[in-house]
């Protein structure tokens, strides 16, 4: 780029020599001081164009001012017609240097400047003045507008690229959070159930071998179910098509929790048809996380699950009583309810969780979709 800039500056010097110095020498180089100042001012005006790229406004102002020197000394020198090329280039640079409302001010100043030249130089100079100024100014304006449009497009392109990268980063974060939430729900629930069953097996191992065998069978089933859930998650992440979840998953998990020894009951009300897969999946996770927390923080407490599909919303309500054992069997990560709330809010619903009289309540309400068939059923057991 530096080499190209230097070649351009050399070309401008050659141009000034060709359009001013050579014609003046052919016509007869001036011998008076005024004549030499006349020619020097004219050449200096053209040489300012060497810096038109880096300082276009300065070049337009300084070049125009230096061009007034030979105009003021018109009686001492000779103005070659080819020197009008310098005027054309200066007006071109002036059009490139200012934009917006300032360009209209520059156009007015240029008109006044040309009027001064015409008034001082006199003669039939108005035609070359207009020919070598107005077209070049219009050309410079077109080039400037084109450059500004290209810069605006480039700037918008950079902004779009930054937005794309930001959206990609947010999508990655969201996907990581979703995967972490899924893993938390799957692994947390499976481990909680297995810990409860293992503790029960330890208590029964000496006095009830048959019961111990049943407990360990349930422990193995919980481990297999956790493995199956993890396999399903891996398939989903790998793009494998799997069946969409429905509310029957809630029945399955409540049944498994009851078999593991949890005092849990589940009642379905209203309609279960037309519930979208994302809403059904979120409802399943609400029940799963609530049962997991009941196992962790309220061991021995009774748990009541109610799924209500009446109206346009699906409501999932899980309430457990006070803990029979005051010491929790294991602690959680603290992300379960936060992840549930985010999941429900993404579907346009809301989740409420907090203590109630003698226990804990988790209730989620989500848009459920159209329903056509009402149903009422109950699963689980009370022990």
């Amino acid at each position: 780029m530096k080499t190209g800039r230097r070649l351009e500056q050399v070309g401008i010097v050659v141009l000034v020599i060709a359009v001013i110095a050579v014609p003046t020498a052919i016509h007869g180089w001036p011998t008076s001081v005024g004549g030499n100042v006349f020619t020097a001012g004219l050449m200096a005006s053209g040489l300012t164009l060497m810096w038109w790229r880096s300082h276009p406004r300065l070049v337009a102002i300084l070049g125009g001012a230096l061009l007034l020197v030979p105009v003021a000394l018109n009686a001492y020198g000779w103005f070659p017609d080819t020197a009008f090329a310098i005027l054309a280039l200066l007006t071109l640079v002036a059009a490139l240097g200012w934009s917006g409302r300032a360009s209209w001010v520059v156009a007015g100043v240029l008109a006044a400047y040309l009027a001064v030249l015409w008034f001082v130089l006199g003669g039939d100079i108005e035609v070359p003045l207009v020919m070598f100024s107005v077209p070049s100014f219009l050309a410079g304006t077109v080039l400037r507008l084109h450059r500004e449009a290209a810069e605006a497009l480039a700037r918008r392109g950079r902004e779009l690229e930054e937005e794309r990268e930001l959206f990609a980063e947010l999508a990655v974060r969201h996907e990581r959070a979703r995967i972490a939430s899924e893993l938390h729900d799957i692994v947390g629930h499976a481990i909680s159930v297995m810990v409860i069953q293992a503790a029960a097996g330890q208590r029964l191992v000496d006095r009830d071998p048959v019961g111990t065998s049943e407990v360990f069978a349930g422990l193995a089933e919980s481990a297999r179910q956790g493995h199956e859930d993890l396999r399903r998650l891996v398939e989903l992440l790998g793009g494998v098509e799997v069946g969409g979840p429905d509310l029957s998953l809630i029945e399955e998990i409540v049944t498994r929790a009851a078999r593991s020894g949890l005092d849990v009951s589940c009642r379905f009300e209203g309609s279960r048809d037309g519930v979208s897969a994302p809403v059904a999946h979120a409802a399943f996770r609400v029940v799963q996380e609530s049962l997991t927390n009941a196992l962790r923080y309220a061991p021995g407490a009774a748990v009541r699950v109610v799924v209500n599909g009446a109206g346009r919303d699906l409501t999932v309500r899980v309430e457990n009583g006070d803990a029979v054992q005051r010491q929790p069997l294991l602690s959680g990560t603290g992300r379960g309810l936060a992840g549930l709330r985010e999941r429900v809010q993404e579907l346009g619903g809301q989740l409420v969780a907090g203590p109630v009289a003698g226990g804990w309540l988790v209730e989620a309400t989500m848009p459920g979709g159209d329903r056509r068939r009402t149903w009422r059923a109950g699963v689980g057991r009370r022990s």
Side-chain angles (χ1 to χ4, degrees):
M1 180 176 289
K2 290 183 178 180
T3 302
R5 182 70 61 82
R6 290 174 181 174
L7 289 176
E8 180 183 273
Q9 292 177 342
V10 171
I12 291 173
V13 173
V14 173
L15 175 66
V16 171
I17 295 173
V19 301
I20 298 176
V22 172
T24 301
I26 294 174
H27 181 270
W29 198 268
T31 57
S32 64
V33 175
N36 281 280
V37 172
F38 177 99
T39 304
L42 194 58
M43 294 183 66
S45 176
L47 292 175
T48 59
L49 293 168
M50 296 173 62
W51 297 277
W52 74 273
R53 288 187 181 273
S54 57
H55 303 88
R57 296 182 179 182
L58 179 61
V59 167
I61 295 173
L62 183 59
L66 289 173
L67 191 60
L68 291 176
V69 173
V71 173
L73 300 175
N74 185 38
Y76 296 93
W78 175 71
F79 193 95
D81 293 337
T82 52
F84 281 105
I86 303 300
L87 176 63
L89 294 176
L90 288 175
T91 54
L92 176 67
V93 173
L96 292 172
W98 283 271
S99 60
R101 294 182 178 180
S103 62
W104 292 98
V105 176
V106 172
V109 172
L110 178 62
Y113 183 83
L114 295 177
V116 171
L117 294 182
W118 172 77
F119 179 78
V120 174
L121 295 177
D124 298 330
I125 199 174
E126 62 273 5
V127 174
L129 278 178
V130 173
M131 289 181 58
F132 285 93
S133 60
V134 175
S136 59
F137 187 82
L138 294 177
T141 301
V142 171
L143 290 175
R144 175 178 53 78
L145 293 175
H146 178 75
R147 181 191 64 193
E148 291 175 350
E151 291 175 352
L153 289 175
R155 184 169 57 253
R156 182 55 181 163
R158 291 191 298 269
E159 292 175 354
L160 290 175
E161 181 65 21
E162 292 174 357
E163 291 177 1
R164 187 192 66 81
E165 293 177 355
L166 178 59
F167 289 150
E169 182 180 353
L170 291 176
V172 170
R173 290 182 181 178
H174 177 77
E175 188 66 14
R176 287 176 178 174
R178 188 180 70 86
I179 294 173
S181 179
E182 292 287 340
L183 287 175
H184 171 274
D185 294 341
I186 294 171
V187 177
H189 178 76
I191 291 178
S192 297
V193 173
M194 287 189 290
V195 168
I196 296 296
Q197 293 172 327
Q202 287 178 333
R203 292 193 300 269
L204 295 175
V205 66
D206 293 329
R207 65 176 185 272
D208 190 357
V210 177
T212 302
S213 177
E214 293 178 356
V215 169
F216 284 124
L219 182 63
E221 181 184 358
S222 298
R224 284 193 297 270
Q225 186 61 43
H227 177 268
E228 180 64 21
D229 290 341
L230 284 175
R231 183 188 63 80
R232 177 186 175 89
L233 177 60
V234 171
E235 289 179 350
L236 285 173
L237 295 176
V240 179
E241 291 290 338
V242 295
D246 55 38
L247 294 180
S248 63
L249 293 175
I250 296 178
E251 298 177 273
E252 294 179 8
I253 194 172
V254 170
T255 301
R256 291 199 305 267
R259 284 202 301 264
S260 69
L262 182 65
D263 181 7
V264 57
S265 66
C266 180
R267 186 172 75 254
F268 293 85
E269 299 177 347
S271 171
R272 70 192 301 174
D273 289 345
V275 178
S276 64
V279 172
H281 183 65
F284 167 72
R285 290 305 185 196
V286 169
V287 175
Q288 185 182 54
E289 178 66 21
S290 300
L291 294 179
T292 302
N293 288 339
L295 287 170
R296 285 175 175 170
Y297 303 112
V303 182
R304 297 184 299 277
V305 179
V306 178
V307 182
N308 191 332
R312 294 186 176 181
D313 295 334
L314 179 71
T315 301
V316 181
R317 180 185 177 93
V318 183
E319 183 177 358
N320 62 265
D322 196 9
V324 176
Q325 305 174 22
R326 293 299 176 183
Q327 183 64 30
L329 294 178
L330 70 166
S331 60
T333 62
R335 290 186 50 84
L337 289 177
L340 277 183
R341 184 169 285 104
E342 293 176 0
R343 189 194 298 270
V344 171
Q345 288 176 350
E346 285 179 357
L347 296 173
Q350 59 180 358
L351 182 138
V352 178
V356 293
W360 186 270
L361 172 67
V362 176
E363 186 175 56
T365 303
M366 296 166 285
D370 297 331
R371 299 179 180 83
R372 294 171 296 278
R373 180 171 61 86
T374 60
W375 50 278
R376 186 180 184 90
V379 299
R381 70 171 184 174
R382 306 289 289 185
S383 59

